[in-house]
Amino acid sequence: MRTLTVVLLAALIAGCGSGDPAPKLPAYLSTTATAQVQSQHRDAVQLLYIATLGRPADPGGLAFWASTLAAAGVPADPAGIEAAYRASPMVRMIVDGIADSQEARLANNPADELFVEAAYTNLLNRGATATARTDWARRIASGELTRPQVALAIIAEAMAADPRTVGNKLAAASGFSARIDNERQRALYRGVFTNTVVRRGLAMVGAATDAGVAAQAMADAMSTAISSSVGKPQTIWFAPADTAVRTWADNRNGSADYMQLFSPLAPWTQAAARVKIFKMYSNVFLLQHLPGSLTDDQIRVVLADLKRRNIALAVEHGPLYEDPVAPHCGTGVEGFGGSASLRLAEKIRDLGGELKYLAMDEPFQHARDVCGWTAREIARNAASSIAEIRKVFPNVMVGDIEVVPGSAAMPDWISQYGQWMDAWKAETGAPLAFFHADVNWGIDYRAAIGHARRLARERGIPFGVIYNGWYTDRSDAEWVATGMRNYASAERDGETPEQAVFQSWDHFPKRVLPESDASSFTSFINSYFRTRSAMSLAAGAGRAHGVLEDVSGKPLGGQAVTLTAQPADGRGTVGSQTISGTVPAETSSALVQVCINQCGETGNNDMSLYSFGYFDTGGRAGSLGFVDGWSRWGLDPNGSASTILAMDAHGMGLHTKATRTQRTYINSAPFAVTPGSKFTLTIRARVSPGSVGSGAFALIFLKNTEHSRKSLPFRPGTTVLASGKTAADGSYRFSYAAPPGRQLVQAEYAGNAQYWPALAETYIGP
């Protein structure tokens, strides 16, 4: 037995998680013991993986541990293994090699009660009873039982309580392990990234699941996630804002160096090689009276250079005709502009362009919300406009852009978008050429992207996501950094869209070049092609731990990780948030605005506002509150949201409350600011978690009317719990003082020039 002991200890030191090569069997086990392995031992090992790691076993680990259990003469049932565990240090090493491995320690929650909860959930898709959770945790804490022993006991209990669910999970996990038992597939199944993808698939297996289908789905999801992360074929679109001043949109204009993109020596060689489609706004061709618009000669240069680079031309255009009957619904509404469609096509042709793609600018949402039209009416209207464009460009590919998730006026947006896609096909005889999600990054968007992707895929429509910063960003660097976080979060689950659209209609970025500048638009495109990273997080009982790796499972050591918490439910907690920046040189006054469902975002709202303190380095300072009631504030006279002055334990404040369809704004009286100075606005408020997406705080700088603004979307107060760097093996461990109540805890890695940002999250508290 000495030889077996040495081999097992070596295996335990090396680790047997899916991130490591499979341990070698001892020579004397390679034939006889392998032949002795019974399917029951494999089942026992697989169930330990499911209960303690939440995932199927990798083929090498499954064969090794099943062989060693069989060779040691251990019974295959959980109770028999647990009895042998108590009696034999050898068996204890075998079981601990799975259930108390480095992977298990990093995957499982520091709180014993949550470890118990996870084991029940992994096996049964439901949590433990309060009694079971407390009792098992007490016995672990007292040293009476180890976590692996408790896992074995829970396995036995689960098999008796719900044999169909446990049996299906076992069959699906075993089927997955068998399907990846080849050199290429085994190499893929390693590390946090693929483990998470497969773990999610196993969690969906229940009593009624077809285990074979589930096993294949997990294998396919793993392969898809890896191929997506390491270079899945993808169509890259680029749509920077041109130089025209949008007089209807806060006088926004695009990048000052826009035309430099189209020089043969323009410094975006790498990004240009990746871009397959360049999108322009229809106003470039139709509204040349706007200040700063491109001239015909400049447009010819653009179109000629795109042809030289073999980059296809796309145009974003509102295709709908306004209602011919008074009051002419659609006039001045986004998505409408059909009367100019033929003129648009002829202009592009006359300037030497070839229109390959037309992206409809949110026709369904706006026509439905504003005019109340049906999906078929909208499709018929848009198709008649597109027919005019096809007189000039008969082969143009027509797709759609819509807001994801849908507007507040469309709570059933998922079914509505499906009806719209079907109506378009019924009207035109062909599906949309693509569907692009214009994501509202200010709310919980990840599930919404998944719903939109599913709608498109079910209909064979290529799905894309528009990646950009946020309208509140106030510099190129800030906009690019926000955009990086957005695409990393959207694709955190390994789901990469067939089309990635890098687009801006905001004030920033002001520079598209050079791609070597980390804050330029073209560098933003290149950043998308960095090596992807992934991280795990387990938190509870004032402790948190996890691991940071690249997509191949390579640990990322020495990297900065920050741990934060924010209230997950209830009314939130009172705290301070800040808006900071530089006062525009040409302004000397400003006001504070609280905008609820009226500045581009919609959601439920429940907040208490207490004070706003302003300070700048030029010596201006002051505070605004509600001690004097409304004397220093003005309220939207047409607002429908509730705004009530009320005293509570935190002082006199303003309590706001609104549904998604109610709105208002609150403006302070103007106050003096110092031109060109650094400023900070501190907001003391209680923002409920449910208020996310319902609006923003803003500091508005004035020059007669609004000159510019710096905004902060409504968020519950965030507390930094801890920060530090990962160890050489990519792991991190933190201790912290937990805030009261249920909290969303997030571990974040900001990324660097080589690696993507990464985010992991979990919940703590009652």
Side-chain angles (χ1 to χ4, degrees), residues 50 77 84 165 314 319 349 400 468 482 538 590 603 606 630 734 759 761:
I50 294 170
D77 63 289
T165 295
R349 178 200 60 196
D400 184 36
N468 48 16
T482 301
D606 181 351
W630 288 102
F734 296 129
L759 178 73
E761 59 189 31

Side-chain angles (χ1 to χ4, degrees), residues 740-754:
R742 185 167 170 78
Q743 300 281 323
L744 172 64
V745 177
Q746 295 182 322
E748 184 171 7
Y749 166 58
N752 57 29
Q754 184 177 358

Side-chain angles (χ1 to χ4, degrees), residues 594-625:
V594 181
C595 191
I596 299 173
N597 291 338
Q598 201 148 280
C599 297
E601 295 150 319
T602 55
N604 296 320
N605 180 273
D606 181 351
M607 305 187 304
S608 292
L609 314 176
Y610 296 100
S611 64
F612 298 81
Y614 177 85
F615 168 83
D616 67 37
T617 54
R620 299 290 187 181
S623 63
L624 293 161

Side-chain angles (χ1 to χ4, degrees), residues 572-594:
T573 57
V574 175
S576 295
Q577 303 180 48
T578 61
I579 300 174
S580 59
T582 302
V583 178
E586 57 270 44
T587 64
S588 58
S589 64
L591 60 82
V592 171
Q593 182 178 82
V594 181

